[in-house]
Amino acid sequence: MITLQQVSRVYRRGADEVHALEQINLAIPDGTFVALMGPSGSGKSTLLSLIAGLDQPSSGNVAINGQMLSGLSEDQLAAWRAAHVGFVFQFYNLIPVLSAAENVEVPLLLTRLSKAARRQHVETALQIVGLADRQHHRPNQLSGGEQQRVAIARAVVVDPDLLVADEPTGDLDAKNADDILDLLRRLKNEFHKTIVMVTHDPRAERYVDQTFHLDKGVLVKKEE
Amino acid sequence: MPIPLKYNLRNLMVRKMTTLATAGGIALVVLVTILLLSLVTGLRQMLVSAGSPNTLIAMRKGATSDVMSFVTRDAVQALRYLPGVAQTAEGEPLVSPEFIKQPLLPTKDGGKEMVLVRGITPVGFLVHDRVRFVAGRAPRPAVREAVVGIAASRRYQGLGLGETLSFDERSWTIVGIFSADGAAFESEVWLDVGDLFKDGTAAGCSGVRFVIPPGTDREALIRRIAEDPRISLAARSEIDYYEEQAEGAKALYLLTMLLAIIMGTGAVFGAMNTMFAAVTHRTAEIGTLRALGFSRRSILTSFVAESVCLSLLGYVLGVVLGIAAVALVNQLMHGVAFQLASFSTAVVTLRVSPEILLLALGLAFLMGIVGGFFPARHAARLRVTEALRRA
């Protein structure tokens, strides 16, 4: 369960204060596929960063499966992310000099798994996203859709409870966007992942369980 | 587990030209360091290795080298029978009166240089116990035969085995080529002291080398040689004598290190520039790695490691170039000619030692660490959310 209580995030920009999020209260049950939507600058990416443990709120509490993220040090947060969160980004953020399999292996380097076990996990993850036959290709040898599927394999390879996706279809054509949303939906259904996705893509609403709309840092609407 | 090194190595390979240019700068520093230090080492080897702790040199008081010295025959005779001087098994004192001349001889590349010609007696070869004949044999007295040091033989015209050496309107047949552990003697010509003079006699000599048995009170003997009115010479051990001659090498060593530090600083800025560019280019990757759970320390270590790899590549290039340059100088230029305090020429063979390679490695490593640290720290301090926005 993801729980946010009275969460605000204020940035300082010179002498000005920017209120990116104000008094957000949110509860997302386990195994739910959630979309965060809203216009640019509405605070949805900031909210995603707080849920993923990439940033800390200025006030309020963020708890993921009972773990309070507020008060954790940078290193503690990094260790928590490594074990519990998988990331999917708009521009895939694959490491260009590593092959698909090596990219998927990166999060496993932070575990105690042996090389053989890591290889096994990587193969499984690539099979889930349907790219087992492309594992030796570098990112520049893959299409956008394939790169995003490699990124999803990297996100699930450590079997995290939570997947966060920031505009995962933002750089893809309609066909690939549908494939990626379908894959995320399948991860939720078959592997019981909790998925929080920031998106502008209206077709996302067909795939998610809930949509939260934000505007000017405030949660304005929730759709089931 | 840290970020794997292959990530860094492949990034270096992707940026081939930048990597090569930066490694080239480091290689240049390594090359110059190796070249200059091998020159210093060769120079020190030439001067210092000539010395033996049990061999003493007696010269006129105040003389800093035997070229400036004169020792009378009476003083030589008195020295020969001084208690504390070693003898051969046959009772011959190990005392070598030596006379120095410095004729101008033609070099193989067409120049002319002053060469030290040392007139010695047969016992001289016993006193100079590190002299080894690499070809031929020792000269016989009174038949105009000469032997030549291996460096002189390579550098000057007409000093090969069987060739004829001419100066002062006389000539000598070269009957032997000798080595002397790289010492300055290798740049000299040796012949019978009597043959040096047209009438076969000399009023004295330039200096006297003599051997003392191990355990002799050297300082007491040196005092006695100075105070004995029949001798009245300044004696010192060969080691001390050549240490004084090697003072110039110390200055050269300092100059070399200074030059290496100045060039190294330039190379550090080059490496830093490259690594800052790498960090800027890979900000989104850094953000991704941090998001996936790698710590700031992992990022710092990874970028420093990349910089060190860059410097090690430069080191390898520099060592290859440095060793080739040293071989080139030794083979094609027959070593580097140095004018000694005595105005004669000594040929220095450049010597690359493991210590030099280790020192150059240390220098390259330092350039990598310093050049990589600040960009790496910058990378490690990036805020994850901001770094991810640069994708």
Side-chain angles (χ1 to χ4, degrees):
Chain A
M1 171 75 95
I2 299 169
T3 316
L4 278 79
Q5 290 178 318
Q6 301 291 314
V7 168
S8 296
R9 182 67 173 101
V10 182
Y11 293 110
R12 289 210 157 272
R13 199 166 290 160
D16 299 331
E17 281 191 346
V18 179
H19 291 259
L21 289 174
E22 288 194 77
Q23 304 288 314
I24 301 286
N25 289 295
L26 191 67
I28 301 170
D30 289 346
T32 315
F33 188 1
V34 168
L36 300 177
M37 299 186 83
S40 294
S42 59
K44 50 192 191 306
S45 289
T46 304
L47 182 57
L48 192 73
S49 295
L50 294 176
I51 291 170
L54 293 173
D55 195 9
Q56 294 275 29
S58 306
S59 62
N61 290 317
V62 178
I64 315 288
N65 293 337
Q67 170 70 59
M68 293 286 284
L69 300 188
S70 320
L72 291 185
S73 70
E74 281 249 6
D75 282 351
Q76 285 170 326
L77 266 181
W80 176 80
R81 286 196 303 268
H84 298 283
V85 188
F87 289 88
V88 183
F89 303 97
Q90 179 178 358
F91 299 109
Y92 333 124
N93 290 31
L94 298 175
I95 294 171
V97 296
L98 301 181
S99 68
E102 287 166 340
N103 264 290
V104 176
E105 190 189 10
V106 168
L108 294 172
L109 298 173
L110 292 163
T111 67
R112 291 175 184 275
L113 291 175
S114 67
K115 195 170 182 179
R118 291 204 302 267
R119 194 176 306 132
Q120 186 64 50
H121 278 66
V122 168
E123 277 175 20
T124 307
L126 282 170
Q127 272 165 10
I128 289 170
V129 300
L131 281 179
D133 57 335
R134 310 281 276 166
Q135 59 176 308
H136 299 301
H137 289 65
R138 294 264 176 102
N140 62 2
Q141 297 168 316
L142 300 170
S143 69
E146 287 173 327
Q147 288 187 58
Q148 194 59 298
R149 280 195 281 159
V150 173
I152 291 171
R154 179 179 67 185
V156 299
V157 74
V158 290
D159 195 22
D161 322 311
L162 172 64
L163 291 185
V164 294
D166 193 356
E167 300 277 11
T169 59
D171 198 43
L172 300 175
D173 57 34
K175 164 77 173 65
N176 276 307
D178 274 325
D179 287 349
I180 291 301
L181 289 169
D182 192 52
L183 176 59
L184 290 174
R185 176 85 193 165
R186 198 154 61 81
L187 291 172
K188 175 249 167 184
N189 287 340
E190 292 177 20
F191 300 97
H192 203 61
K193 300 293 174 200
T194 306
I195 303 173
V196 182
M197 171 176 72
V198 161
T199 185
H200 280 105
D201 191 342
R203 91 194 82 203
E205 292 184 86
R206 298 204 307 268
Y207 294 89
V208 299
D209 303 313
Q210 287 181 351
T211 303
F212 293 96
H213 290 270
L214 285 108
D215 191 23
K216 293 177 185 157
V218 179
L219 205 55
V220 290
K221 196 168 66 173
K222 175 182 165 187
E223 290 169 5
E224 296 288 331
Chain B
M1 189 183 275
I3 296 165
L5 203 58
K6 68 181 168 194
Y7 164 68
N8 305 100
L9 294 177
R10 287 185 196 170
N11 270 303
L12 288 176
M13 276 159 62
V14 165
R15 295 176 288 130
K16 276 191 204 82
M17 289 314 292
T18 319
T19 298
L20 273 179
T22 312
I26 292 166
L28 204 64
V29 178
V30 171
L31 163 71
V32 172
T33 305
I34 288 177
L35 209 56
L36 289 176
L37 283 181
S38 63
L39 177 65
V40 174
T41 306
L43 191 63
R44 288 188 67 81
Q45 172 87 5
M46 182 183 83
L47 294 170
V48 176
S49 77
S52 155
N54 293 324
T55 303
L56 272 61
I57 303 176
M59 296 184 299
R60 177 175 60 77
K61 285 176 179 169
T64 52
S65 78
D66 43 11
V67 174
M68 302 171 186
S69 167
F70 183 79
V71 178
T72 63
R73 287 164 77 174
D74 291 343
V76 174
Q77 279 307 105
L79 255 178
R80 277 167 63 85
Y81 298 104
L82 202 64
V85 172
Q87 297 182 337
T88 63
E90 293 77 34
E92 170 79 12
L94 283 170
V95 175
S96 170
E98 298 174 0
F99 200 96
I100 306 293
K101 280 204 172 186
Q102 293 173 291
L104 276 171
L105 296 182
T107 59
K108 283 184 175 168
D109 56 15
K112 278 201 164 184
E113 287 173 359
M114 268 189 183
V115 177
L116 195 142
V117 175
R118 189 180 296 275
I120 60 167
T121 56
V123 79
F125 286 98
L126 301 175
V127 172
H128 293 277
D129 59 355
R130 287 195 218 168
V131 167
R132 303 270 178 276
F133 282 95
V134 293
R137 57 173 173 79
R140 289 171 301 173
V143 289
R144 298 274 180 85
E145 288 180 345
V147 290
V148 179
I150 192 161
S153 171
R154 285 194 197 118
R155 187 170 181 84
Y156 301 102
Q157 286 180 31
L159 293 192
L161 194 63
E163 293 187 289
T164 304
L165 161 72
S166 300
F167 67 89
D168 282 359
E169 298 166 0
R170 278 166 301 147
S171 52
W172 287 261
T173 306
I174 312 294
V175 298
I177 309 285
F178 65 87
S179 67
D181 291 343
F185 301 126
E186 291 184 355
S187 304
E188 299 180 1
V189 175
W190 289 9
L191 39 81
D192 179 61
V193 69
D195 282 354
L196 260 181
F197 302 96
K198 285 179 181 164
D199 60 1
T201 57
C205 61
S206 305
V208 184
R209 277 176 168 75
F210 59 99
V211 180
I212 55 171
T216 305
D217 185 348
R218 192 168 55 194
E219 294 311 312
L221 188 62
I222 288 171
R223 269 200 308 279
R224 174 149 185 205
I225 290 169
E227 289 162 7
D228 189 324
R230 295 172 305 154
I231 308 172
S232 190
L233 294 173
R236 68 197 85 174
S237 78
E238 260 194 336
I239 296 264
D240 291 345
Y241 174 74
Y242 286 111
E243 278 289 350
E244 285 167 24
Q245 302 285 311
E247 278 299 314
K250 277 183 194 162
L252 192 65
Y253 182 79
L254 285 177
L255 194 70
T256 300
M257 290 317 291
L258 191 69
L259 198 67
I261 288 167
I262 292 169
M263 286 190 67
T265 307
V268 161
F269 281 113
M272 209 180 275
N273 193 32
T274 301
M275 292 311 297
F276 266 122
V279 169
T280 306
H281 185 69
R282 275 146 59 197
T283 301
E285 278 174 46
I286 295 164
T288 306
L289 290 168
R290 292 287 313 283
L292 295 180
F294 286 93
S295 64
R296 285 182 192 275
R297 196 180 305 127
S298 297
I299 301 290
L300 181 89
T301 312
S302 176
F303 276 87
V304 170
E306 187 166 320
S307 178
V308 168
C309 289
L310 194 62
S311 67
L312 290 182
L313 176 67
Y315 171 74
V316 171
L317 282 175
V319 166
V320 171
L321 292 175
I323 289 176
V326 165
L328 209 68
V329 170
N330 286 341
Q331 292 299 316
L332 297 185
M333 296 169 63
H334 311 296
V336 175
F338 256 85
Q339 200 172 53
L340 297 176
S342 58
F343 302 112
S344 57
T345 305
V347 181
V348 181
T349 304
L350 306 193
R351 282 164 200 279
V352 182
S353 65
E355 289 79 12
I356 290 177
L357 296 182
L358 216 60
L359 193 78
L361 178 65
L363 197 67
F365 199 73
L366 196 70
M367 284 188 277
I369 296 269
V370 176
F373 178 75
F374 293 100
R377 193 178 62 167
H378 174 70
R381 283 181 173 180
L382 285 170
R383 280 170 51 91
V384 187
T385 46
E386 279 177 20
L388 285 171
R389 254 179 243 137
R390 309 258 187 96

